[in-house]
Each structure stands twice: as structure tokens, then as C-alpha cells.
Amino acid sequence: MGVAANAPSGHDGPMASTLPDIDQTLATTFGFTDFRPGQRTIVEALIGGENVLAVMPTGSGKSLCYQLPAVISPGTTLVVSPLLALMRDQVAALRRAGIEAGSLSSATPPQEARSALDGLADGSLKLLYMAPERLAANGTIGLLKGKIARIAVDEAHCVSQWGHDFRPEYLKIREAADAIGHDLPIAAFTATADPGTRDEIARAMFRRKPKIIVHGFDRPNLSIAMEPKSDPRRQIIAFIRQRPGASGIVYVSTRRKADQLADGLVKANIPAISYHAGLDGAERTARQDRFQREDGLVIVATVAFGMGIDKPDVRFVAHADMPKTIEAYYQEIGRAGRDGLPADTLTLYGLDDMRLRRLQIDQSEAPDQVKRAEHQRLSALLALLESPACRWRMLRSYFGEPSEPCGRCDVCRDGIVEADATTEARMALSALLRTGQRFGTEHLIDVLLGEETDKVQRFGHAGLPTFGVGKERTRPVWRGIFRQLYAAGMIATDRDGHGTWQMAPEARPLLKGEVPFSVRADVFQARAKQKAPPATKAALSDLDEAGQALFDALRAKRREVAEAEEVPAYVVFPDRTLIDIAMKKPTDKSAFADVHGVGQAKLDRYADMFLPIVAAHLGQPTAH
Ligand code: ADP
Ligand code: ZN
């Protein structure tokens, strides 16, 4: 029976004094100098034997919260995790850090499974990873009974029957915990923020009420930009070209688009693959693995891609189509920059996206109440997209966290100026009314611009007083006006999917000229605005030119080592470590130990491989 399970909960238990210092373990074993916000509180609660439900956004460092207590406390920690690939990589990373870890799954080689079971028997195994299906399988409880000190559950929202990721086996975890040991402490982790899911987890997973720790939705290393679609392929390629050699994810709305855009990128000499639910299981796994392991690959994917992704050095996430909700958006951009280094995101959106989303909601089978909620969530998303205020501030306030302007989103960087668009708005409304509220954006713009198209001739629209009144403005400007009118609730789309516009009653005063209408000034700029330098470059640019060359050499070495050891590159060292080596230029082992992410095990294993690269760079023989 694990000792920690019997430890009194609370802060002044006897364990604190007898355990190794957590700060010291953080440095020597994990190679980190500081805890991230929230980590210390959770670590201390787990060491104190408390039940914890931790809500932390993706990439905020949840694994460390149970790994560090597992290393320090006596006994074996059982980690329930839904994804085999992720499990395998985590175990590999832990072993490299000198921590006894193993997994039991269908994918575990027999040799490894045997040594994990031996470690479990003699108590030397610190972490045992297992999928929920395996935990629920016959015979597993007998294997674990009395040998587990505490349980950590990853992706705990999978227990929610109303959620998208529901896994029935998650409902059996609590029962399994009872059978394995009496009143075992359980720590559950999730990135899903909404209070309903949170309550459901608390009820389904715990016997005692857990301590709920929710922390920061800020991601200081992520930059946000949002841009109307003009030519999405060109926009995405331009965005990627500013970040050469970076790994990234591009989200699209359909399988076909995923394949097409991936093709387009390859033709533009950008290494890219697609990923979607239309591929068979083996192919999907192969592509996901490739993305996980390879440096500098772009994956163009539908939302089917994501949950299993644990790649810390994803340098950008782009949305070529509008995301579904703010929650989905946050999850998806959260896959960038998990290593804490700067990463960029770009979201494209257009009228078609907005209309399609509205249609999906209206045509779903859901009860009216759910539909109403969905429409509200869509409005919140549109408000964020067209917002004249700081993006991060709006995003965090959506999750219930007040904050100051971030200084790193496109609005903060470029500043948003409002411009008066009363005249244009009235022209657009007039064109809409005079054509009978039966047409979509492009035809209305034809009328405004005075284009003699077939359709214009067929309906006799060239004779309207509105015909050609909008010549002063370009087509993209007019699209922007329609978008802003839509986001402001002045026009509404039909419910049958033909993409025609109706005027909302709210627009009457505007049409009559009684109230003004203002838009973000960039609506009037024909082309996209001046781009800020990519954040990734900004981090690397802390290095001088020689430092860059050293970084490249270190990266080449890392690739060689990773290939030889058959692990992803970041398992050897994350980018951040390489940058730190390139800055500190350590010439001996003790200097190497000060590098970010280098603990004792990695020092022993890798110092002699990487020190010569630095020495060669400095033109010196290696000092041992
Ligand atoms: P999550 O599970 O919350 O999505 P992870 O546990 O995968 O996030 O952690 C994301 C990355 O952050 C990993 O590369 C991890 O090594 C790193 N990390 C975690 N804690 C720290 C820390 N205190 N200092 C520096 N890096 C950290
Ligand atoms: Zn901002």
C-alpha cells in the first residue's frame, strides 16, 4: 500500500519535511528553473494527498503537475491517459529524464511490459501509464491491487456524456480506483473550461469532493491575428513563408479543402501533408506520427486532428476557415507553442463561413434551447473576430478572467482605428432592399459597383438608382462592409442556405440616416495591413548571426541523435534548450547543467554529444 494514500490531507502533514525539496527536483530532474503559474499549488496539493480537479488550458504544463509528485512521493502513480501514441512519447521522455516509467497497453513490447510489472512489484516504478480500456479490462485490477499510491487522470472531460470526447470507460475509473486501494487520492486534469463539464467530472470521478484548481487562460507566448479572407491560399502561404522551417497546423473546414490546400502548399515548396477523418485509421496514425516526429512539417487538417497532439514545438496554428466556437478556437490555437516559446496564430474568416455556421445550427436536430445557445456562441465568436479591442482581453473575459490589453495581438500591435461608414452602410442596405432582399453578397456588390453582369441584365438591376453608386470602393471593401453589418446584427441571412440577405429591423434608423455606423478602419484598406514580424523569428533573433549558425548546427545534431534513438526530436531537447545552449555556449559539463531543460539524466546522456558542437563553433577543443 502506498504511503501517500494514508497521509493526512492538508498543508501541515508530516510529509513536507521528509520529502526532497520540490524546487530542487524541478531543477535537477526536469531541468526547469521555475514553476509555471498554477503548477506549484497543484503539486503541493497532490503531495499532500488531496483529491484535485485541475482545469488548465492546453500547453500549460499539466503533466509536470502529476509527474513531479510521482517522482518525489513513495509508491507508484497510475496515469490514465486515453491516447496510446502520447503515452509512448511521455514514457520515453520520462525515461530520458532518469525517471522509472512504463506503460501497459496493446502497443507495449512484452519485454517492456515485463519490466514495468517487475517495477510495480518491487515499488521502484514511479509512473505507470494505462489507457482506460485496459484499466477496465479483465485481470487488470488484480494486477494493480494494493500496488498503486495515487491516480492521475488525463483528459478528464472524456467522462462527460454530453461532450464530444465521451469515452464510456472513463465512467469506470472511480470504481476501479476503489477496487485498487482504499480511498486512493485522485487527480483529474482537463483543459475544458465550461462549468457544466467541470461539475460532471467532479461528480463522476470522485468519492470525496475534489479541490478544484482553475488557472490562467492567458498564453503569453501566443500572438493572435485575425484577418478577413480574400484569397485564403495566398494568405496562408504568405503566413507560412514568413516562418520558414517551422512546424505548424493549418485548420480547414472540409476534407476536400485539407487535401487541396496541402497540395497547394507542396506546390509552393512547403513540406505539407493533410489529415482528416476520410483517411483510414492506419494512414491517420502514420501521418500524425510523422507530424509529431518531423521538424518543419505543416499539417493541413480538419478538426479531426488535435486531441492526441503533444508536440511542444508547433510554431504556428492557422485557420484557413473560421473556427466553430470560441472554445474550439482556443483549443486549436492552444496547440501552438506548448514549449513556452513564441508562436503565432492567424485566423481567416469570411461571410460564407458565418453563413454556413448559422445554417448548421439551424438545420441541426438539437432542441431549440440548444440552438439558441449555439447562436449566442456564434455571436460571441463574430464579436471577437470583428473586435476593435484587444483579442486576448476579449478571449479571457469570455472564459471569465478579467485582464489588461495584451500588447501582442494584431489589434494591440497595429491599433484599430474606427472609421465612419454610415454612407457605405446605407448604400449597401439600399441595394439590398431595392433588389427585393433576394440576393447574396456578390450580386449586391455587382450592383453597387455598376457591373453589367448577366444576372444584372436578367433582373434589370442596371436601372436601379443604387446601380454604380459604390464605384469609389473596391470589392473587398464592400465585402468588409457586409461583414460588419452582419456582425453588428443589421442584416440577417436567410435560413434556407441560398446566402441571400435580409435587412434586420434594427437597421431601420441607420437606413433613415438617424444613427451613424462605424467600422474598423482597416475595412477601408484595400490590401492586408503591414505584417508584424513573426514571433518565432523574434525569439531566435535574440541570437546574433554566429548564434544562429550554432543553433542550426545543434539542430542538425539533435536530428541525428533523435533518429538514432528513434524518438521525436523534442524528446532529446526542445528548441528552447537549443536556443539556450546557443546563447550560453557552455564549454564544460557544469556550464551545460545550467542550460534550460537539462537535468542530471540528460546531462549524463547528452552533454558529451552536444559540447563538441559548441566547441567546434568556438574553435576550441572540448574541455571535459
Ligand atoms: P498540457 O498537458 O497542459 O497540454 P504539457 O504537460 O504537455 O502540457 O506541457 C507542455 C510543455 O511545457 C512541455 O514541453 C513541458 O516540458 C513544458 N513545461 C511544463 N512545465 C514547465 C516549467 N515549469 N518550465 C518550463 N517548461 C515546462
Ligand atoms: Zn491585445
Side-chain angles (χ1 to χ4, degrees):
M1 184 72 218
V3 183
N6 295 325
S9 52
H11 295 296
D12 41 15
M15 312 215 55
S17 52
T18 56
L19 288 173
D21 181 33
I22 63 173
D23 292 289
Q24 199 185 329
T25 309
L26 183 71
T28 53
T29 307
F30 293 91
F32 300 142
T33 43
D34 302 298
F35 281 106
R36 292 209 183 135
Q39 284 181 329
R40 180 187 295 275
T41 320
I42 299 172
V43 165
E44 287 176 351
L46 297 201
I47 291 176
E50 289 186 72
N51 274 347
V52 169
L53 166 54
V55 185
M56 289 164 77
T58 306
S60 53
K62 287 190 281 296
S63 341
L64 181 94
C65 295
Y66 58 79
Q67 288 170 352
L68 196 150
V71 171
I72 287 190
S73 314
T76 304
T77 299
L78 175 67
V79 184
V80 182
S81 167
L83 296 144
L84 293 184
L86 199 141
M87 222 185 271
R88 203 181 51 208
D89 289 342
Q90 287 223 350
V91 169
L94 285 166
R95 288 219 164 133
R96 247 161 209 77
I99 300 164
E100 292 265 351
S103 65
L104 286 180
S105 81
S106 51
T108 315
Q111 174 67 37
E112 279 181 37
R114 221 168 303 124
S115 87
L117 289 173
D118 289 346
L120 187 64
D122 67 21
S124 61
L125 190 69
K126 285 295 168 191
L127 293 119
L128 177 63
Y129 283 74
M130 193 178 272
E133 291 76 15
R134 179 61 176 261
L135 182 62
N138 278 338
T140 305
I141 300 295
L143 223 54
L144 302 179
K145 204 172 167 67
K147 299 194 184 109
I148 298 295
R150 69 199 69 76
I151 301 181
V153 182
D154 211 357
E155 314 282 2
H157 60 278
C158 291
V159 80
S160 164
Q161 300 188 58
W162 311 110
H164 301 292
D165 300 323
F166 177 54
R167 295 263 204 139
E169 293 80 13
Y170 263 67
L171 288 170
K172 299 184 186 153
I173 293 178
R174 189 172 70 179
E175 210 177 298
D178 288 345
I180 292 169
H182 175 65
D183 206 15
L184 284 185
I186 297 181
F189 295 83
T190 180
T192 301
D194 87 89
T197 310
R198 216 176 280 171
D199 291 347
E200 218 181 329
I201 300 171
R203 273 197 312 273
M205 198 85 74
F206 300 90
R207 289 242 177 266
R208 290 183 273 138
K209 211 169 150 32
K211 174 172 183 175
I212 299 185
I213 301 172
V214 184
H215 103 76
F217 278 81
D218 192 19
R219 292 284 309 276
N221 60 322
L222 284 196
S223 77
I224 290 183
M226 296 173 174
E227 223 175 76
K229 268 185 203 177
S230 50
D231 178 350
R233 177 177 298 204
R234 185 189 57 78
Q235 286 168 291
I236 294 290
I237 289 176
F239 175 74
I240 297 175
R241 284 230 169 101
Q242 286 188 299
R243 292 152 184 85
S247 297
I249 308 173
V250 181
Y251 281 107
V252 293
S253 56
T254 65
R255 298 171 185 185
R256 223 168 61 110
K257 281 192 190 174
D259 289 332
Q260 286 173 345
L261 184 56
D263 268 0
L265 295 187
V266 169
K267 289 204 181 92
N269 284 321
I270 296 166
I273 52 175
S274 66
Y275 183 101
H276 52 73
L279 301 165
D280 73 48
E283 183 61 25
R284 284 215 300 272
T285 311
R287 290 188 187 192
Q288 179 168 327
D289 275 5
R290 211 185 132 192
F291 178 69
Q292 189 93 6
R293 272 149 219 280
E294 234 169 80
D295 256 355
L297 187 65
V298 177
I299 192 154
V300 185
T302 61
V303 293
F305 181 74
M307 192 172 152
I309 299 312
D310 187 30
K311 189 175 167 66
D313 55 357
V314 174
R315 291 271 70 83
F316 66 83
V317 168
H319 286 90
D321 293 309
M322 188 180 83
K324 216 167 166 182
T325 57
I326 292 185
E327 284 87 349
Y329 168 75
Y330 188 87
Q331 282 279 336
E332 285 149 13
I333 63 167
R335 292 177 184 129
R338 287 197 187 191
D339 52 9
L341 285 173
D344 299 311
T345 74
L346 170 71
T347 302
L348 302 182
Y349 62 99
L351 279 168
D352 287 346
D353 293 313
M354 298 179 179
R355 266 201 312 260
L356 182 70
R357 183 74 196 113
R358 183 166 276 269
L359 197 67
Q360 283 171 346
I361 298 172
D362 285 333
Q363 293 184 342
S364 78
E365 303 284 307
D368 281 351
Q369 206 180 341
V370 174
K371 283 188 188 179
R372 262 199 303 283
E374 290 289 315
H375 277 299
Q376 268 167 17
R377 292 163 92 192
L378 175 60
S379 301
L381 175 66
L382 298 188
L384 174 67
L385 291 168
E386 296 282 353
S387 165
C390 170
R391 313 277 195 191
W392 266 113
R393 190 179 199 180
M394 272 196 82
L395 196 53
R396 290 172 69 185
S397 97
Y398 179 81
F399 289 115
E401 190 176 53
S403 64
E404 293 302 308
C406 74
R408 61 182 191 277
C409 70
D410 52 354
V411 178
C412 285
R413 269 186 335 232
D414 308 342
I416 287 295
V417 187
E418 301 233 327
D420 182 71
T422 312
T423 310
E424 287 77 8
R426 292 180 64 201
M427 285 178 181
L429 290 174
S430 161
L432 191 147
L433 287 178
R434 288 186 190 273
T435 53
Q437 307 193 69
R438 292 191 294 127
F439 296 91
T441 321
E442 296 308 313
H443 180 70
L444 294 173
I445 296 177
D446 287 338
V447 172
L448 287 161
L449 293 177
E451 306 267 357
E452 303 260 4
T453 63
D454 289 352
K455 210 166 168 184
V456 164
Q457 282 173 1
R458 191 151 25 106
F459 289 96
H461 286 163
L464 295 175
T466 346
F467 190 70
V469 293
K471 277 200 174 108
E472 304 280 287
R473 301 291 185 191
T474 60
R475 188 171 289 268
V477 169
W478 282 114
R479 288 194 187 118
I481 299 285
F482 277 99
R483 252 191 353 261
Q484 295 262 329
L485 281 169
Y486 182 47
M490 297 292 152
I491 57 176
T493 184
D494 63 322
R495 307 229 149 176
D496 55 11
H498 296 304
T500 62
W501 291 114
Q502 278 91 50
M503 192 179 87
E506 288 78 9
R508 212 157 291 285
L510 172 58
L511 184 70
K512 289 197 219 147
E514 292 166 5
V515 294
F517 186 72
S518 52
V519 297
R520 298 170 40 153
D522 57 0
V523 166
F524 287 123
Q525 281 150 24
R527 277 284 156 205
K529 46 200 157 135
Q530 189 72 26
K531 293 289 175 341
T536 319
K537 270 210 194 120
L540 281 172
S541 70
D542 290 345
L543 297 172
D544 54 15
E545 214 167 286
Q548 293 269 3
L550 175 54
F551 176 77
D552 289 340
L554 291 166
R555 234 172 102 154
K557 182 68 186 178
R558 177 179 68 176
R559 190 170 315 136
E560 179 193 316
V561 175
E563 268 163 26
E565 299 187 356
E566 294 181 353
V567 293
Y570 67 82
V571 168
V572 178
F573 281 134
D575 282 357
R576 183 144 171 206
T577 298
L578 298 192
I579 291 174
D580 208 36
I581 297 175
M583 303 241 271
K584 293 187 176 144
K585 304 186 179 59
T587 51
D588 56 26
K589 272 193 157 185
S590 83
F592 201 83
D594 288 338
V595 168
H596 171 91
V598 176
Q600 189 59 47
K602 284 201 175 176
L603 184 66
D604 294 343
R605 188 177 183 116
Y606 294 129
D608 291 338
M609 298 186 197
F610 285 85
L611 279 171
I613 309 287
V614 180
H617 173 80
L618 296 173
Q620 295 167 358
T622 326
H624 277 279

